[in-house]
Amino acid sequence: MSTTAFIGKNKMAKLEKKFYTRTNVLEISKDLLGKYLFTRINNEITAGIITETEAYAGISDKASHAYNNRRTDRTEVMYAEGGVAYVYLCYGIHHLFNVVTNIKDAPHAILIRAIKPAEGIETILKRRKQKSISPLISAGPGTSSQALGIKTIHSGTDLTGDTIWIEDRGIKIRKNQIIVGTRIGIGYAEEDALLPYRFIIKL
């Protein structure tokens, strides 16, 4: 499926549930590239264009928090129907935002690794304690969440609601624009650490 399959006539369309409940987590990871990730937190709206994603393929993926059908208080949200947020704390510091996909009880998730700031720039700068936009301001999953104000309290948030959502604003990503690589920081996943499940675009 192409990255433009869900644009339709509305060039500023919020992604609907059916976008997230598809079964191919790799396809959705690519389709999220070029989409706008929005937040409305403390009545401040910020957004960034998604430029890097990582796919996690549930119970069969040794890198996934849900590998081997692991269910904990933290990971239970991954088993929800696609279209909700999964946010967890990494190293006790970084709040990492993931998009839950697939049908209920199929715990696929996509880590948003990087965004390009697009709206609410002043708020993003304040959150990141920066004076100006630089390439590194939201070039990682932790800094992206910080820029948009996303924290673990937002885990379980409905992505079709008005707190965190994703819009298709008509950016067309060609297949040859997508850089494919292996995921980062998952050496524990043995052979699954080598899977080509990371996707990047340059904007």
Side-chain angles (χ1 to χ4, degrees), residues 20-189:
Y20 303 106
T21 54
R22 292 176 291 159
T23 58
N24 190 328
V25 70
L26 300 179
E27 181 180 82
I28 302 171
S29 296
K30 295 172 189 176
D31 286 352
L32 283 170
L33 296 171
K35 303 296 190 290
Y36 282 65
L37 174 57
F38 274 86
T39 61
R40 180 186 281 109
I41 294 170
N42 296 328
N43 214 31
E44 293 184 297
I45 294 179
T46 52
I49 304 169
I50 298 171
T51 59
E52 185 173 348
T53 60
E54 274 185 356
Y56 289 85
I59 62 175
S60 64
D61 184 350
K62 291 182 179 180
S64 171
H65 292 171
Y67 174 63
N68 203 24
N69 209 37
R70 185 185 300 118
R71 299 181 84 135
T72 66
D73 288 345
R74 182 180 75 166
T75 65
E76 190 62 30
V77 68
M78 297 179 71
Y79 291 84
E81 183 181 47
V84 298
Y86 169 45
V87 189
Y88 66 91
L89 199 63
C90 181
Y91 304 129
I93 302 171
H94 305 295
H95 300 254
L96 304 191
F97 170 74
N98 299 258
V99 174
V100 174
T101 67
N102 214 322
I103 60 174
K104 182 175 172 59
D105 290 325
H108 289 180
I110 299 163
L111 174 65
I112 304 303
R113 286 199 56 89
I115 61 167
K116 180 179 180 180
E119 295 196 19
I121 300 300
E122 288 186 9
T123 300
I124 287 172
L125 289 172
K126 181 174 62 178
R127 288 172 178 158
R128 292 285 292 119
K129 297 180 173 60
Q130 301 291 320
K131 293 183 179 180
S132 61
I133 293 292
S134 74
L136 298 179
I137 197 163
S138 52
T143 55
S144 293
S145 292
Q146 186 180 17
L148 297 179
I150 298 173
K151 297 184 178 180
T152 54
I153 58 170
H154 297 113
S155 197
T157 298
D158 182 352
L159 298 181
T160 65
D162 295 321
T163 301
I164 304 173
W165 70 95
I166 300 172
E167 291 186 9
D168 188 333
R169 293 200 164 188
I171 294 178
K172 297 180 180 180
I173 306 299
R174 297 188 304 274
K175 188 175 181 179
N176 64 6
Q177 289 179 284
I178 300 174
I179 301 165
V180 180
T182 56
R183 295 171 293 187
I184 295 173
I186 57 165
Y188 59 86

